[in-house]
Amino acid sequence: MIASAIDAGTSPAAISAAGLVKRYGNLAAVDGLDLEIPAGEFFGLLGPNGSGKTTTIHMLATLVRPSEGRVKIGDIDVSRHPVQARRQIGLVFQESALDRTLTVRENLRFAGRLYNLPPSVSDQRSAELLELFDMTDRRDKPVATLSGGMRRALDIVRGVLHEPRVLFLDEPTIGLDLPNRRRIWRFIERLRARTGMTVLLTTHYLEEAYPCDRVVFVRKGKLVEEGNPQQLVARLGQHILEIEANDLDALRKRLEPELGECLIDGDVAFFRHGAEEMATLASLQTQVGDKATAWRVRRPNLNDVFMWISAGKALKS
Amino acid sequence: MIARPIYAVLEREVLRMLRQKTRLVSAMVRPLIWLFVIGAGFGTVIGDSRGIPYQSFLVAGVIGMTMLFGAMLAALTTVYDKESGVMRMMIIAPLPHFWIVIAKVLSAALAAILQALILIVLLALLGYIGSRTNFVLLAGGLVITSLACAGIGILTASFTRSLDNFAAIMNFVIFPVFFLSGSLYPVQNLPEVLRWVSTFNPYTYGVDLLKHATMGPGVMAADFSLTTDFAVLAGFTLLAVVVASWRFSRESAYEPMIHVLTGKQR
């Protein structure tokens, strides 16, 4: 066996993937992805819909066989030993994986038994986890009676009941309202603080990926950008200028020589401004005058990074 | 190691069965309607079949019917599991995926046996199961027939994407399997083509086995030998599990399932 990047280093990474490819016919859903995620890291896999995030998670979690490449969970080769690998991982799917007709306790006992946990152990662990998630009073309620947010929380409890080393969260807050999304993130925070487990998540609510230690952006199955969220945002610039105008095209031609290439999203043009001082922007605003119907200057965030990358533009101007 | 996950699937099936009262009640009412309404009606037309009153002949058929419907519906919940998400819980669990198929077959068979047992108690109270019944053979018949019925169910489920097709499954699987089985009339009495089809129906041998068990020795109402019955039923169950497991683990069959599960179509 040829030594590869994933064999390097002293302690094995929690998750490592080398040259991961998944083809469906002529379409490469994932096209040569390399990942190296150290134990305990909070890792975000970000990208537009159809960029291959879910396929990647399913390959890492043994559910989809890679067309090419190798995945290891710890030092377990996922293709060769999928059952052992599954023992080490928890996966919370985009869609619920619960039996709505059974109660919370029955669901968790069922899940526990699938991992060979006796009911006494899964009862005790679920009691602790439900308390961590403020759901102790729901134990004997049928899942069908829980709110969407609670069901998602229960799905996470289900995913970590067997104390996995690695937790995959595929869009954990999709379809939830803002208060419930915040709740889920509080739970994930508490869970990480308590167990120190490696967490890999995908999300397209990008502000939620901000607490990640590291994020990668994928586009058409390829890794296009990678880094610490704060650093990625900083690379984009110090300010984002949003302009609305009746003749957006004319304004764009006027401003691009000064500010660099802009991004058009609907009726709004986005410009980046690398410097901390705002004098340039202020003088440009005076020159443009009321040709712009709206002029906003704000700090960039991960959504901007995502937009720039989705548009296929490099971060550094 | 594998016992506990299988127990989990069995327990869930029983819990669901006991909770769905209408499913349980209709599983009891359906065979009794056949026995009393159809049985009485046909009985007056047909008279005795080979020296046995038609309703007594029908007892094996209705016990079999309870198992066929019970096991089929339980095995078809595999499709519901795919749609509702419980299958996600199972495919991510640390067990080879063919065990999911085996566990579903066992749980469907268990559900069928429990329903058949309740029916048998009812039939005994009504005087249809009596001294002529060989209870050891009946017990064996319940186990192997319910497994074969679960096999038909899991095989159907492994080729079915959604329960929207349920009416089609009813028309093209459950009804033909039931009507072409010797449940309602001895296989020997069928026209040649149908008799030929019936011999390819594994369920025929289950009903035949139940006839052996309920009508006692000496009365020649069964069509095949006990050995043939057991061999065909066991062989078919094995085949069904192998084919369904292959369907579940084969990548081209399995990956679309992942996309169904995750709501991502390709």
Side-chain angles (χ1 to χ4, degrees), chain A residues 22 24 55 58 63-65 83 86 93 95-97 99 101 106 110 113-118 158, chain B residues 1 4-5 7-8 11-12 16 19 85 88-89 91-95 97 251 254-255 258-259 262 266:
Chain A
K22 183 65 197 180
Y24 294 98
T55 307
H58 286 163
L63 297 181
V64 168
R65 204 170 299 148
V83 174
R86 285 206 286 275
F93 293 87
E95 312 237 321
S96 165
D99 188 333
T101 62
E106 286 163 350
F110 179 78
R113 283 203 175 103
L114 290 179
Y115 288 88
N116 210 28
L117 300 179
R158 193 267 311 152
Chain B
M1 280 300 273
R4 198 168 270 140
Y7 179 82
E11 187 192 54
R12 170 169 174 258
R16 285 170 57 87
R19 227 156 267 182
R88 296 184 190 106
M89 228 196 291
I91 58 171
I92 194 63
L95 42 134
H97 288 152
E251 200 161 24
Y254 175 65
E255 294 209 355
I258 281 287
H259 300 307
T262 54
R266 262 184 211 286

Side-chain angles (χ1 to χ4, degrees), chain B residues 177-241:
Chain B
V177 164
F178 177 66
F179 287 115
L180 295 170
S181 68
S183 297
L184 303 176
Y185 15 73
V187 175
Q188 305 300 340
N189 296 10
L190 288 172
E192 188 166 349
V193 176
L194 294 183
R195 189 167 72 221
W196 187 77
V197 174
S198 298
T199 56
F200 282 92
N201 177 3
Y203 177 66
T204 301
Y205 301 85
V207 175
D208 196 63
L209 189 49
L210 295 172
K211 287 178 192 165
H212 279 288
T214 54
M215 280 179 280
V219 185
M220 291 304 294
D223 294 295
F224 306 97
S225 75
L226 279 176
T227 323
T228 311
D229 290 341
F230 272 108
V232 170
L233 292 168
F236 172 77
T237 306
L238 197 64
L239 182 74
V241 168

Side-chain angles (χ1 to χ4, degrees), chain A residues 14 37-43 88 129 132 160 163-167 187-200 213:
Chain A
I37 303 168
E41 190 168 71
F42 188 21
F43 184 89
Q88 306 292 330
L129 287 163
L132 195 70
V160 298
E163 302 184 336
R165 289 172 53 186
V166 175
L167 176 62
F187 296 158
I188 294 172
E189 249 173 63
R190 286 182 203 167
L191 198 63
R192 287 189 58 244
R194 207 167 90 173
T195 63
M197 67 176 67
T198 313
V199 176
L200 184 152
D213 300 319

Side-chain angles (χ1 to χ4, degrees), chain A residues 47-307:
Chain A
N49 288 335
S51 59
K53 302 188 297 287
T54 297
T55 307
T56 303
I57 278 209
H58 286 163
M59 281 195 282
L60 300 179
T62 78
L63 297 181
V64 168
R65 204 170 299 148
S67 307
E68 279 173 38
R70 204 147 65 105
V71 177
K72 279 181 159 190
I73 299 292
D75 47 15
I76 302 165
D77 187 309
V78 160
S79 299
R80 260 183 256 158
H81 308 287
V83 174
Q84 282 94 314
R86 285 206 286 275
R87 205 164 284 136
Q88 306 292 330
I89 64 178
L91 172 52
V92 178
F93 293 87
Q94 254 177 53
E95 312 237 321
S96 165
L98 300 165
D99 188 333
R100 295 166 60 100
T101 62
L102 300 183
T103 66
V104 169
R105 187 199 302 260
E106 286 163 350
N107 264 286
L108 293 175
R109 277 192 177 181
F110 179 78
R113 283 203 175 103
L114 290 179
Y115 288 88
N116 210 28
L117 300 179
S120 58
V121 175
S122 60
D123 276 1
Q124 194 209 329
R125 284 189 196 165
S126 36
E128 290 168 17
L129 287 163
L130 290 175
E131 200 188 324
L132 195 70
F133 288 9
D134 307 328
M135 284 176 64
T136 306
D137 55 333
R138 306 296 161 128
R139 272 189 104 177
D140 293 307
K141 297 263 187 298
V143 168
T145 66
L146 301 186
S147 70
M150 289 216 177
R151 241 175 278 160
R152 197 61 54 85
L154 182 59
D155 245 319
I156 297 175
V157 172
R158 193 267 311 152
V160 298
L161 200 59
H162 57 292
E163 302 184 336
R165 289 172 53 186
V166 175
L167 176 62
F168 294 103
L169 299 168
D170 193 6
E171 303 272 2
T173 53
I174 198 166
L176 298 181
D177 58 17
L178 195 57
N180 271 311
R181 275 158 55 186
R182 293 218 174 106
R183 251 163 61 99
I184 293 291
W185 284 105
R186 265 202 313 279
F187 296 158
I188 294 172
E189 249 173 63
R190 286 182 203 167
L191 198 63
R192 287 189 58 244
R194 207 167 90 173
T195 63
M197 67 176 67
T198 313
V199 176
L200 184 152
L201 79 98
T202 70
T203 181
H204 62 250
Y205 299 119
L206 297 180
E207 64 278 18
E208 296 183 343
Y210 205 68
C212 286
D213 300 319
R214 194 154 58 101
V215 295
V216 300
F217 286 89
V218 287
R219 194 163 152 266
K220 291 179 184 167
K222 286 194 167 84
L223 194 155
V224 287
E225 197 58 71
E226 156 169 38
N228 172 278
Q230 286 94 327
Q231 288 166 3
L232 284 176
V233 169
R235 274 169 65 194
L236 196 63
Q238 291 298 323
H239 298 102
I240 293 289
L241 170 61
E242 289 181 24
I243 300 173
E244 291 170 39
N246 292 325
D247 190 354
L248 204 56
D249 226 37
L251 212 57
R252 173 188 181 166
K253 281 185 187 123
R254 164 76 187 79
L255 290 175
E256 276 192 338
E258 312 266 355
L259 293 170
E261 205 181 356
C262 78
L263 198 70
I264 306 280
D265 185 33
D267 302 333
V268 188
F270 295 83
F271 289 91
R272 286 175 290 179
H273 182 55
E276 183 58 45
E277 53 81 29
M278 310 240 286
T280 333
L281 294 178
S283 83
L284 277 175
Q285 186 175 15
T286 323
Q287 289 170 40
V288 166
D290 54 9
K291 277 183 204 136
T293 54
W295 180 285
R296 285 183 294 272
V297 179
R298 58 170 176 78
R299 292 291 186 188
N301 56 40
L302 270 183
N303 277 306
D304 298 307
V305 176
F306 179 72
M307 265 177 49

